[in-house]
Amino acid sequence: MSPTGSPMQLHLCTWLEVETYLQRSQGIIMPIGSTEQHGPTGLIGTDAICAEVIAKGVGEATEALVGPTINVGMALHHTEFPGSMSLRPSTLLLVIRDYLVSLARAGFRQFFFINGHGGNVATLKAAFSETYATIADLNLPEADQTRCRLNNWYMNSQVYQLAKELYGNREGSHATPSEVAVTQFVYPEAIKDAPLNPEVASGHPIYGAANFRQHYPDGRMGSDPSLATPEHGRSLYEAAVESIAKDYQKFLGTQ
Amino acid sequence: MSPTGSPMQLHLCTWLEVETYLQRSQGIIMPIGSTEQHGPTGLIGTDAICAEVIAKGVGEATEALVGPTINVGMALHHTEFPGSMSLRPSTLLLVIRDYLVSLARAGFRQFFFINGHGGNVATLKAAFSETYATIADLNLPEADQTRCRLNNWYMNSQVYQLAKELYGNREGSHATPSEVAVTQFVYPEAIKDAPLNPEVASGHPIYGAANFRQHYPDGRMGSDPSLATPEHGRSLYEAAVESIAKDYQKFLGTQ
Amino acid sequence: MSPTGSPMQLHLCTWLEVETYLQRSQGIIMPIGSTEQHGPTGLIGTDAICAEVIAKGVGEATEALVGPTINVGMALHHTEFPGSMSLRPSTLLLVIRDYLVSLARAGFRQFFFINGHGGNVATLKAAFSETYATIADLNLPEADQTRCRLNNWYMNSQVYQLAKELYGNREGSHATPSEVAVTQFVYPEAIKDAPLNPEVASGHPIYGAANFRQHYPDGRMGSDPSLATPEHGRSLYEAAVESIAKDYQKFLGTQ
Amino acid sequence: MSPTGSPMQLHLCTWLEVETYLQRSQGIIMPIGSTEQHGPTGLIGTDAICAEVIAKGVGEATEALVGPTINVGMALHHTEFPGSMSLRPSTLLLVIRDYLVSLARAGFRQFFFINGHGGNVATLKAAFSETYATIADLNLPEADQTRCRLNNWYMNSQVYQLAKELYGNREGSHATPSEVAVTQFVYPEAIKDAPLNPEVASGHPIYGAANFRQHYPDGRMGSDPSLATPEHGRSLYEAAVESIAKDYQKFLGTQ
Amino acid sequence: MSPTGSPMQLHLCTWLEVETYLQRSQGIIMPIGSTEQHGPTGLIGTDAICAEVIAKGVGEATEALVGPTINVGMALHHTEFPGSMSLRPSTLLLVIRDYLVSLARAGFRQFFFINGHGGNVATLKAAFSETYATIADLNLPEADQTRCRLNNWYMNSQVYQLAKELYGNREGSHATPSEVAVTQFVYPEAIKDAPLNPEVASGHPIYGAANFRQHYPDGRMGSDPSLATPEHGRSLYEAAVESIAKDYQKFLGTQ
Amino acid sequence: MSPTGSPMQLHLCTWLEVETYLQRSQGIIMPIGSTEQHGPTGLIGTDAICAEVIAKGVGEATEALVGPTINVGMALHHTEFPGSMSLRPSTLLLVIRDYLVSLARAGFRQFFFINGHGGNVATLKAAFSETYATIADLNLPEADQTRCRLNNWYMNSQVYQLAKELYGNREGSHATPSEVAVTQFVYPEAIKDAPLNPEVASGHPIYGAANFRQHYPDGRMGSDPSLATPEHGRSLYEAAVESIAKDYQKFLGTQ
């Protein structure tokens, strides 16, 4: 699935390889996406696909281990559109806690989440706090070195800049051409076509699921995903990997 | 405790008055603070004191009802300093859910949180999502009109500007002179004096409690609270009330 | 808010002051109230107001630290009246656990709850048991010295006696003249007037919220709060403080 | 196990018999005990044995259905003595909720708990409140008729009086001769003999498990169970059944 | 209730006896049943009655301690039939965890569940996994020796064989003549009579409660309980005890 | 990632396509794996890789929608080996509930889990029961048609037979040559080489994590994964797809 090479994925390692890896690094990259509507033409897996491919790219660039993708995140506000799936925040919080406790027991101490979905941000940050406290009670060695970092690939300044150049204010904030472009780059065979109303709602804050669908009837938020191309996707992917790889290195280097 | 007058506090109303209020408004202002160390001279209740007094000011300015202050929030990273108290994120999430469900059953639909503590933000937003879904299942009338909004008083541009003018880069990000000033305005009898090392740590991200105390040994994050005065506090309070009152009105006016 | 002086409130201390305090005492006073209807003339915050003011008085009398007030308790049976708020028992239990674990980590060992609401009693006691077990697992020093005590200010014999003298059987058991009087003493500006049916329901046990409202249509339980005066409030306050201060001293002295 | 006849136990009915029963009554008797140390000579099952046998007696006297005994309750403070078992309060609360929701779906509306253990009281009452709210959300017919009642058999005035006559102040408050006598009446083959120190601790409040064992080294609280006889047990049993049967009838008759 | 003698029941021991027992064995037998419809003639307590009597028999045969019976298990799919009770799986999981943690603290390490109900199997096994992890965090001595085993008495080959001989394909899979026979052996006074449609549904998988009742309108699954006799019950009981006693010994002997 | 074609993956659909799909089918295939050690040469993602590829194959063969893979399951007993990750059973139960509730709201009614890990079985089945009850309370149309099915690909008779032919008793029960072969077929570039002790432990039951590692020091359970080849993997994959496709069709056809 990685277009560019052979990153070190946890799923493709043996436990002996992980044991060896831990001698040189206690860091791991954790991709997290979502399973939710992305407008008439966007893939339901957009956020997971983007997070996963970029995480693999960053893993390759930094020789870091990449954990399994969290495919379903916090997307309750999208659940009036069929195919959307969501964990409750209270559940996602426990999932993150369990993931990190498992890895912390083995010696991992730096957790770098590459995130593809704005709806995950709050719960992830809450989960980090909950997890620090949980890990502190387990009396693991150097528990106070446990650090989590959240990196939203689409918020990265290099990516943000490129999206702005390519799409201006037609980028919008959900089902954006930039995220759709990345999925087109990864799955060119799954480029979808559907009529897109040129009038697209925007600016309404996000509340509950019924309210969301009332205000965003086709699921897009101010975006024009018809602008996306696989080539844009490659550029955005490369920009994301380049700048997030630096972020990861910096994250490891600090305490 | 409100220095300026007589807002409509839920705690000082009867249920009949609330019943009447609901005929003209379904909005309510919810102050939320924290109980945590604020450096050698800052009050442990700083965040709750600030949120409460500003909420009362906004309530008075907008004739809105003001709910009871949430005194203890999410401050796990401060708990290595004695006197700090914290809910786990998973607990705070349930608290918010229970608060809002109670009020929603009575007919409230717009919940405007005035927040005094950055550590609450993630959990509050996660709780809003959880609550929309919970309320949707209760089959209340117009459940889809339920809306929550988070307003961090210290992030407000008018306040932020004033703090910058008064303190420049000595504002810092925890135990700031601006929040200390507001508490001095409210409780001039509780202005504290203690030696403050002019070298103050800053820039280290927030992880767990032990890690926090290692990096911020006296509890301050880049701030010089000795600059605070009660008069500054009054100005900051007034700036906050003025601009947040507008935010609240705007929040009510939208859907 | 304290009518009589300057107790040692956690919210008005610095962490350094708490550190010093812990060298002479590991006790803390925790006020807990409720946010619930108190009949046509009683304040929704009655139970929190009473618990808080008395806790401050006791704190002053005993030089004990007073923690932040728990404003919202277990009042599910009042939630058919607008303005009432409640935590579920399962939530309140976690809140208490989190409060006490935070404080226990810092060295507090004796937790003295001054309670203003009968509906909190069961959940508080259950929470104490849960918390002892939780704290025991944390391997804190002298964890076995952890002790919680519940003091219902209105059940205190001196207070009870005075209420009986003042109001006889018109005291009732909810929205009582004695608790209303204490709020009038604290907030004379918030004395409310409303018609009170001289026939007031009483004697029906408390079950669910709908059942409660059916049997107690105006919210009172056998009480005549029109008898309350601020002067009574002062007397009741003083009686409560005097006798609860002794209870606290005794609590500290035993093991 | 019932010494006196053939009560209507849920476990010995078919579902068709329950269906028929519900046409004449929506009440059910729920015995709840505990599994905990009862001093050197008391049975670990004492509280469950007493609650169960008395519940069956009351069921027989009132032609009421008797549910299955909750054998393990809230006895965290006894868990330093081997053989003691306990649910956490947060677990017991869910157990009660699940029991009552199951029965409420079938049409039961009056739940009368006969309790053999003081440690259960707080959690049971908290669970009742939680359950009323849960059932209210299920939209069952006549949900507002749901009523729970807690009857501590040993607190009943008739029983209390008899215990006082038989044992005076050697009754104590845990591993009492009266509860031991009831178990001797039910299980005469399991009367135990062990040295009992005539000096028995009393008066120390109950906190955590380690604290409890320090203060009550053999498990008794102020009691002299050597006074118990099976004949006393029969008298206490009969007093309990007679007076609790009246309580149950009264409970059904009110709303 | 045991037809054959005097097993060592935890409920009939003192804590001193348990202390002594632990010096020779760290094993305990835990009976778990259910409270659910068993067709027109089967007792609602069938699964608990069978598990309890067989557990006592095995306890007697092996001189093992027998814990209190879990009377209510996971029977959500039966709850459309009045009298059925169920814990949610998430609740039962906590119950098992609490039971085993209590016992593990006292030194028990081998937990042998004798189960009377297929619906409990999945949750029990999930609970074992959860409990191993919980106990590992408690730093108990020899925590890694903790072992749980599930024994479904009706699946035992000796029992299964006998049931097949006695009833052939009229054994069915719920409200079976074999389990009914065991209850007849234990409670001959509670043998029920009701018309049984010779056409009995079978083969439909188990989903939710409404679906179950649609497909199994009288509650039986392919069984003809009219074939049951108390004598069969005795034979089945004896076969179960004999073979499960061996299983228990073997379980203790392995690690 | 699918070696054979283009199944209908939820992640590669738009919400409009899902809406259309629901008009012809309410069924969905859900792959669930695990992230756990698989011996010295097996991939940590083995169970997820196998479940995912087979689910895609079955989706293609049956024109069924395939949901996102659950990558991390219940593998607590493997967590002493680095790289293993696990949800607690109580967490996985909530994850499954949230997944299915999301999909049920949109109209899905038949959930067919293709599972790659024995450790998931108990929790999945418990979660199904919990979910039926949760969905029943949501008042969705035709909620009683909700059906879940668990299909362990490796237990399928056709697969089982083939594995036996290929590997005989060297198949073992964890890190088996058959599952390793399937991963070699999917990821030929990730075939690992490591010394395998010809003496491999087997027959010890699974308890906690420390106990597991003591008895299975290199992680294998009785298996010889050196026998695996990518060609075997293809055959096993094809056998699994062929027979599970029939199972799915049959599952849809029944009620």
Side-chain angles (χ1 to χ4, degrees):
Chain A
M1 201 182 286
S2 164
T4 56
S6 193
M8 197 174 179
Q9 290 176 253
L10 179 59
H11 266 210
L12 301 187
C13 294
T14 66
W15 72 265
L16 289 167
E17 290 169 339
V18 176
E19 196 171 58
T20 302
Y21 174 85
L22 280 163
Q23 289 168 1
R24 68 168 169 89
S25 175
Q26 291 77 48
I28 186 167
I29 292 171
M30 307 289 291
I32 176 166
S34 184
T35 297
E36 66 186 43
Q37 68 84 14
H38 273 78
T41 58
L43 306 184
I44 282 175
T46 296
D47 296 342
I49 293 164
C50 294
E52 185 169 295
V53 73
I54 292 166
K56 287 178 183 172
V58 174
E60 193 188 11
T62 62
E63 299 190 338
L65 197 60
V66 179
T69 303
I70 299 177
N71 288 311
V72 176
M74 207 312 289
L76 287 172
H77 47 298
H78 291 295
T79 51
E80 286 283 311
F81 292 89
S84 300
M85 297 173 66
S86 181
L87 298 179
R88 287 187 166 251
S90 51
T91 304
L92 180 53
L93 196 151
L94 297 175
V95 166
I96 301 297
R97 181 202 65 183
D98 286 2
Y99 273 41
L100 300 193
V101 166
S102 299
L103 292 166
R105 285 187 195 281
F108 290 96
R109 288 291 175 274
Q110 292 91 41
F111 304 99
F112 188 86
F113 283 76
I114 294 182
N115 176 38
H117 173 49
N120 292 336
V121 172
T123 304
L124 274 173
K125 288 187 176 173
F128 293 167
S129 297
E130 185 103 10
T131 302
Y132 294 131
T134 302
I135 287 177
D137 286 346
L138 293 176
N139 294 319
L140 302 178
E142 304 196 335
D144 60 348
Q145 296 308 310
T146 308
R147 296 187 279 123
C148 300
R149 179 64 50 85
L150 178 57
N151 191 297
N152 301 307
W153 74 267
Y154 50 91
M155 297 287 283
N156 207 286
S157 71
Q158 206 171 328
V159 170
Y160 191 82
Q161 202 56 39
L162 179 54
K164 206 172 168 180
E165 281 167 31
L166 292 169
Y167 313 120
N169 66 4
R170 296 168 79 189
E171 165 75 354
S173 56
H174 181 65
T176 63
S178 61
E179 61 187 348
V180 168
V182 174
T183 65
Q184 291 181 346
F185 162 59
V186 183
Y187 290 107
E189 72 276 21
I191 298 179
K192 304 297 167 95
D193 196 35
L196 287 174
N197 192 328
E199 307 270 322
V200 57
S202 73
H204 186 75
I206 296 174
Y207 304 117
N211 188 287
F212 184 97
R213 189 156 181 177
Q214 282 163 29
H215 287 86
Y216 297 108
D218 75 359
R220 291 176 298 150
M221 299 176 75
S223 67
D224 182 357
S226 71
L227 303 175
T229 70
E231 293 69 30
H232 293 170
R234 172 179 293 273
S235 303
L236 288 158
Y237 164 79
E238 287 169 355
V241 168
E242 185 183 330
S243 72
I244 300 174
K246 285 179 205 151
D247 292 342
Y248 179 67
Q249 297 288 20
K250 203 167 143 195
F251 171 62
L252 283 194
T254 60
Q255 311 181 327
Chain B
M1 202 183 286
S2 163
T4 56
S6 193
M8 195 174 180
Q9 291 176 250
L10 179 59
H11 265 211
L12 300 186
C13 294
T14 65
W15 71 266
L16 290 166
E17 290 169 340
V18 176
E19 194 172 59
T20 303
Y21 174 85
L22 279 164
Q23 290 168 359
R24 68 168 170 89
S25 176
Q26 291 76 49
I28 186 167
I29 291 171
M30 308 291 291
I32 176 166
S34 184
T35 297
E36 67 185 44
Q37 69 83 14
H38 273 77
T41 58
L43 306 183
I44 282 175
T46 296
D47 296 341
I49 293 164
C50 293
E52 184 169 296
V53 73
I54 291 166
K56 287 178 183 172
V58 174
E60 194 188 11
T62 60
E63 298 190 339
L65 196 59
V66 180
T69 303
I70 300 176
N71 288 311
V72 176
M74 206 314 288
L76 287 173
H77 47 298
H78 292 294
T79 51
E80 286 283 312
F81 293 90
S84 299
M85 297 172 67
S86 181
L87 299 178
R88 286 187 166 251
S90 52
T91 304
L92 180 53
L93 196 152
L94 297 175
V95 166
I96 300 297
R97 181 202 66 182
D98 286 2
Y99 272 41
L100 300 192
V101 165
S102 298
L103 292 166
R105 287 187 194 281
F108 290 95
R109 290 289 176 274
Q110 291 93 39
F111 305 99
F112 187 87
F113 283 77
I114 295 182
N115 176 39
H117 172 49
N120 292 335
V121 171
T123 304
L124 274 172
K125 288 187 176 173
F128 293 167
S129 296
E130 184 104 9
T131 303
Y132 295 132
T134 302
I135 288 177
D137 286 345
L138 293 175
N139 294 320
L140 302 178
E142 305 195 336
D144 59 350
Q145 296 308 308
T146 307
R147 294 187 279 123
C148 300
R149 178 65 49 87
L150 177 58
N151 192 298
N152 301 307
W153 75 267
Y154 51 92
M155 296 288 283
N156 206 287
S157 71
Q158 207 172 326
V159 170
Y160 191 82
Q161 203 56 39
L162 180 53
K164 205 171 168 182
E165 281 167 31
L166 292 169
Y167 311 121
N169 65 5
R170 297 168 79 190
E171 167 74 354
S173 56
H174 181 66
T176 64
S178 61
E179 61 187 347
V180 168
V182 174
T183 66
Q184 291 181 345
F185 163 58
V186 183
Y187 290 109
E189 71 277 20
I191 298 178
K192 303 298 168 92
D193 196 35
L196 287 174
N197 193 328
E199 307 271 323
V200 58
S202 72
H204 186 75
I206 297 173
Y207 305 116
N211 188 286
F212 185 97
R213 189 156 181 176
Q214 282 163 28
H215 288 88
Y216 297 108
D218 75 359
R220 292 176 297 151
M221 299 176 75
S223 68
D224 182 357
S226 71
L227 303 175
T229 72
E231 294 68 30
H232 292 170
R234 173 179 292 276
S235 303
L236 287 157
Y237 163 79
E238 287 170 353
V241 168
E242 186 182 329
S243 72
I244 300 176
K246 285 179 205 149
D247 292 342
Y248 179 67
Q249 298 288 20
K250 204 167 142 195
F251 170 62
L252 284 194
T254 59
Q255 310 179 331
Chain C
M1 203 182 285
S2 162
T4 58
S6 192
M8 194 173 180
Q9 290 176 252
L10 179 59
H11 266 210
L12 301 186
C13 294
T14 65
W15 72 265
L16 290 167
E17 291 169 338
V18 176
E19 195 172 60
T20 302
Y21 174 86
L22 280 164
Q23 291 168 0
R24 69 169 170 86
S25 176
Q26 292 76 48
I28 186 167
I29 293 171
M30 307 291 290
I32 177 166
S34 184
T35 297
E36 65 184 46
Q37 68 84 14
H38 273 78
T41 59
L43 306 183
I44 282 174
T46 295
D47 295 343
I49 293 164
C50 293
E52 184 169 295
V53 72
I54 291 167
K56 287 177 183 172
V58 174
E60 193 187 13
T62 61
E63 297 190 340
L65 196 60
V66 180
T69 303
I70 299 176
N71 287 311
V72 175
M74 208 312 289
L76 286 173
H77 47 297
H78 292 294
T79 50
E80 287 281 314
F81 293 90
S84 299
M85 296 172 68
S86 180
L87 298 179
R88 286 188 167 251
S90 51
T91 304
L92 180 53
L93 196 151
L94 297 175
V95 167
I96 300 298
R97 181 203 64 183
D98 286 1
Y99 273 41
L100 300 191
V101 165
S102 299
L103 292 166
R105 286 188 195 280
F108 289 95
R109 289 291 175 274
Q110 292 92 38
F111 304 99
F112 188 85
F113 282 78
I114 296 183
N115 176 39
H117 172 51
N120 292 335
V121 172
T123 304
L124 274 172
K125 288 187 175 173
F128 293 167
S129 297
E130 185 104 10
T131 302
Y132 294 132
T134 302
I135 288 177
D137 286 345
L138 294 176
N139 295 319
L140 302 176
E142 304 195 335
D144 61 347
Q145 296 308 310
T146 309
R147 295 188 279 123
C148 300
R149 179 64 51 84
L150 177 56
N151 192 298
N152 301 308
W153 76 266
Y154 51 90
M155 296 288 283
N156 206 285
S157 72
Q158 207 171 328
V159 171
Y160 190 83
Q161 203 57 39
L162 179 53
K164 204 170 169 182
E165 281 168 31
L166 292 169
Y167 312 120
N169 65 5
R170 297 168 78 188
E171 167 74 354
S173 54
H174 181 67
T176 64
S178 61
E179 60 186 349
V180 168
V182 174
T183 65
Q184 291 181 345
F185 162 58
V186 183
Y187 290 108
E189 70 277 21
I191 299 178
K192 303 298 168 93
D193 197 35
L196 288 174
N197 192 330
E199 307 270 324
V200 57
S202 73
H204 186 74
I206 295 173
Y207 304 117
N211 188 288
F212 185 96
R213 188 155 182 178
Q214 282 162 29
H215 288 87
Y216 298 108
D218 75 359
R220 291 176 298 151
M221 300 176 75
S223 68
D224 182 357
S226 70
L227 303 175
T229 71
E231 295 69 31
H232 292 169
R234 172 178 292 275
S235 304
L236 288 157
Y237 163 80
E238 287 169 353
V241 168
E242 185 181 332
S243 71
I244 299 175
K246 285 180 203 149
D247 292 342
Y248 179 68
Q249 298 287 20
K250 204 167 142 193
F251 170 63
L252 284 194
T254 59
Q255 315 176 326
Chain D
M1 203 182 286
S2 163
T4 56
S6 193
M8 193 174 180
Q9 291 176 251
L10 178 59
H11 266 210
L12 301 186
C13 293
T14 66
W15 71 265
L16 290 167
E17 289 169 340
V18 176
E19 194 171 60
T20 303
Y21 174 85
L22 280 163
Q23 290 168 0
R24 69 169 171 86
S25 176
Q26 292 77 48
I28 185 167
I29 292 171
M30 307 290 290
I32 177 167
S34 184
T35 296
E36 65 184 46
Q37 68 82 16
H38 273 77
T41 59
L43 307 183
I44 282 175
T46 296
D47 297 342
I49 293 164
C50 293
E52 184 169 296
V53 72
I54 292 166
K56 288 177 183 172
V58 173
E60 193 186 13
T62 61
E63 298 190 338
L65 196 60
V66 180
T69 302
I70 298 176
N71 287 311
V72 176
M74 206 314 287
L76 287 173
H77 47 297
H78 291 295
T79 50
E80 286 281 313
F81 293 90
S84 299
M85 297 172 67
S86 182
L87 299 178
R88 286 188 168 250
S90 51
T91 304
L92 180 53
L93 197 151
L94 297 175
V95 166
I96 301 297
R97 181 202 64 181
D98 286 1
Y99 273 41
L100 300 193
V101 165
S102 298
L103 292 166
R105 286 188 196 280
F108 288 96
R109 289 292 175 272
Q110 292 92 39
F111 305 99
F112 188 86
F113 283 76
I114 295 182
N115 176 40
H117 172 49
N120 292 335
V121 171
T123 304
L124 274 172
K125 288 187 176 174
F128 293 168
S129 296
E130 185 104 10
T131 302
Y132 294 133
T134 302
I135 288 177
D137 286 345
L138 294 176
N139 295 317
L140 302 177
E142 304 195 335
D144 61 347
Q145 296 308 308
T146 308
R147 295 187 279 122
C148 300
R149 179 63 51 85
L150 177 57
N151 192 297
N152 300 308
W153 75 266
Y154 51 90
M155 297 288 283
N156 206 287
S157 72
Q158 206 170 328
V159 171
Y160 191 83
Q161 203 56 39
L162 179 53
K164 203 171 170 181
E165 281 168 30
L166 292 170
Y167 312 120
N169 65 5
R170 296 168 78 188
E171 167 73 354
S173 54
H174 181 67
T176 63
S178 61
E179 60 187 349
V180 168
V182 174
T183 66
Q184 291 181 345
F185 163 58
V186 184
Y187 290 108
E189 71 277 21
I191 298 178
K192 303 298 167 90
D193 196 35
L196 287 175
N197 192 328
E199 307 271 322
V200 58
S202 71
H204 186 74
I206 296 173
Y207 305 117
N211 188 287
F212 185 97
R213 188 154 181 179
Q214 281 163 28
H215 288 87
Y216 297 108
D218 75 358
R220 291 176 298 151
M221 300 176 75
S223 68
D224 182 357
S226 71
L227 303 175
T229 70
E231 295 69 32
H232 293 170
R234 172 179 292 275
S235 303
L236 288 156
Y237 163 79
E238 287 170 353
V241 168
E242 185 182 331
S243 72
I244 299 175
K246 285 180 203 149
D247 292 341
Y248 178 67
Q249 298 287 19
K250 206 168 139 193
F251 169 63
L252 284 194
T254 59
Q255 313 177 329
Chain E
M1 203 183 285
S2 162
T4 57
S6 193
M8 195 173 180
Q9 291 176 250
L10 179 59
H11 265 211
L12 301 186
C13 293
T14 66
W15 71 265
L16 290 167
E17 291 169 339
V18 176
E19 195 171 58
T20 303
Y21 174 85
L22 280 163
Q23 291 168 359
R24 68 169 170 87
S25 175
Q26 292 76 50
I28 185 167
I29 292 171
M30 308 290 291
I32 177 166
S34 183
T35 296
E36 66 184 45
Q37 69 83 15
H38 273 77
T41 59
L43 306 184
I44 281 174
T46 296
D47 296 342
I49 293 163
C50 293
E52 183 169 297
V53 72
I54 292 166
K56 287 178 183 172
V58 173
E60 193 187 12
T62 61
E63 297 190 338
L65 197 60
V66 180
T69 303
I70 299 177
N71 288 310
V72 176
M74 206 314 288
L76 287 173
H77 48 297
H78 292 295
T79 51
E80 287 281 313
F81 292 90
S84 299
M85 297 172 67
S86 181
L87 299 179
R88 286 186 167 253
S90 51
T91 304
L92 180 53
L93 196 152
L94 297 174
V95 166
I96 300 297
R97 181 203 64 182
D98 287 0
Y99 272 42
L100 299 193
V101 166
S102 298
L103 292 166
R105 286 187 194 281
F108 289 95
R109 290 289 176 273
Q110 292 92 40
F111 304 99
F112 188 86
F113 283 76
I114 295 182
N115 177 40
H117 172 50
N120 292 335
V121 172
T123 304
L124 274 171
K125 288 186 175 172
F128 293 167
S129 296
E130 185 104 10
T131 302
Y132 294 131
T134 302
I135 287 177
D137 286 345
L138 293 175
N139 294 318
L140 302 177
E142 304 194 336
D144 60 348
Q145 296 309 308
T146 309
R147 295 188 279 123
C148 300
R149 179 64 51 86
L150 177 57
N151 192 298
N152 301 307
W153 75 267
Y154 51 91
M155 296 287 283
N156 207 286
S157 72
Q158 205 170 330
V159 171
Y160 191 83
Q161 203 56 39
L162 179 53
K164 204 170 170 183
E165 282 168 29
L166 292 169
Y167 312 121
N169 65 4
R170 297 168 79 188
E171 167 74 353
S173 56
H174 181 67
T176 63
S178 61
E179 62 186 346
V180 168
V182 174
T183 66
Q184 290 180 347
F185 162 59
V186 184
Y187 290 110
E189 70 276 21
I191 298 178
K192 303 299 168 91
D193 197 34
L196 287 175
N197 192 328
E199 307 271 323
V200 57
S202 73
H204 186 74
I206 295 174
Y207 304 118
N211 188 288
F212 184 98
R213 189 156 180 177
Q214 282 162 28
H215 287 88
Y216 297 108
D218 76 358
R220 292 176 298 151
M221 299 176 76
S223 69
D224 182 358
S226 71
L227 303 175
T229 71
E231 294 69 31
H232 293 168
R234 172 178 292 275
S235 303
L236 288 157
Y237 162 80
E238 287 170 351
V241 168
E242 186 183 329
S243 70
I244 299 176
K246 285 179 204 150
D247 292 341
Y248 179 67
Q249 298 288 19
K250 205 168 140 194
F251 169 63
L252 284 194
T254 60
Q255 313 176 329
Chain F
M1 203 182 286
S2 163
T4 57
S6 193
M8 196 174 178
Q9 289 177 253
L10 179 59
H11 265 211
L12 300 186
C13 293
T14 66
W15 72 265
L16 290 168
E17 290 169 338
V18 176
E19 195 171 60
T20 302
Y21 174 85
L22 280 163
Q23 290 168 2
R24 69 170 171 87
S25 176
Q26 292 77 48
I28 186 168
I29 292 171
M30 308 290 290
I32 176 165
S34 184
T35 296
E36 67 186 43
Q37 68 83 15
H38 273 77
T41 58
L43 306 183
I44 282 174
T46 296
D47 296 342
I49 292 164
C50 294
E52 185 169 293
V53 72
I54 292 167
K56 287 178 183 172
V58 173
E60 193 187 12
T62 61
E63 298 190 339
L65 197 60
V66 179
T69 303
I70 300 176
N71 288 310
V72 176
M74 208 311 289
L76 287 173
H77 47 298
H78 292 294
T79 51
E80 287 281 314
F81 293 90
S84 299
M85 298 172 65
S86 181
L87 299 178
R88 286 188 167 251
S90 51
T91 303
L92 181 53
L93 196 150
L94 296 175
V95 167
I96 301 297
R97 182 204 63 183
D98 287 1
Y99 273 40
L100 300 192
V101 166
S102 299
L103 292 166
R105 286 187 195 282
F108 289 95
R109 290 291 175 273
Q110 291 92 39
F111 305 99
F112 187 87
F113 284 77
I114 295 182
N115 176 39
H117 173 49
N120 292 334
V121 172
T123 304
L124 275 171
K125 288 187 176 173
F128 293 167
S129 296
E130 186 103 11
T131 301
Y132 294 132
T134 302
I135 288 178
D137 286 347
L138 294 176
N139 294 319
L140 302 177
E142 305 196 335
D144 60 347
Q145 295 309 309
T146 309
R147 296 187 278 123
C148 300
R149 178 65 51 84
L150 177 56
N151 191 298
N152 301 307
W153 75 266
Y154 50 92
M155 296 287 282
N156 207 285
S157 72
Q158 206 171 328
V159 171
Y160 191 84
Q161 202 57 39
L162 179 54
K164 205 170 168 180
E165 283 168 29
L166 292 169
Y167 312 119
N169 65 5
R170 297 168 78 189
E171 167 74 354
S173 54
H174 180 66
T176 63
S178 61
E179 60 187 349
V180 168
V182 174
T183 65
Q184 291 181 344
F185 163 58
V186 183
Y187 290 109
E189 70 277 21
I191 298 179
K192 305 296 168 96
D193 196 36
L196 288 174
N197 192 329
E199 307 269 323
V200 57
S202 72
H204 186 74
I206 296 174
Y207 304 118
N211 188 287
F212 184 96
R213 189 156 180 177
Q214 282 163 29
H215 287 86
Y216 298 107
D218 75 359
R220 291 176 299 151
M221 300 175 76
S223 68
D224 182 357
S226 71
L227 303 175
T229 70
E231 294 67 33
H232 293 169
R234 172 179 292 275
S235 303
L236 288 157
Y237 163 80
E238 286 169 355
V241 168
E242 184 182 331
S243 73
I244 300 175
K246 285 180 203 150
D247 292 342
Y248 179 66
Q249 298 288 20
K250 204 167 141 195
F251 170 61
L252 284 194
T254 59
Q255 313 179 330

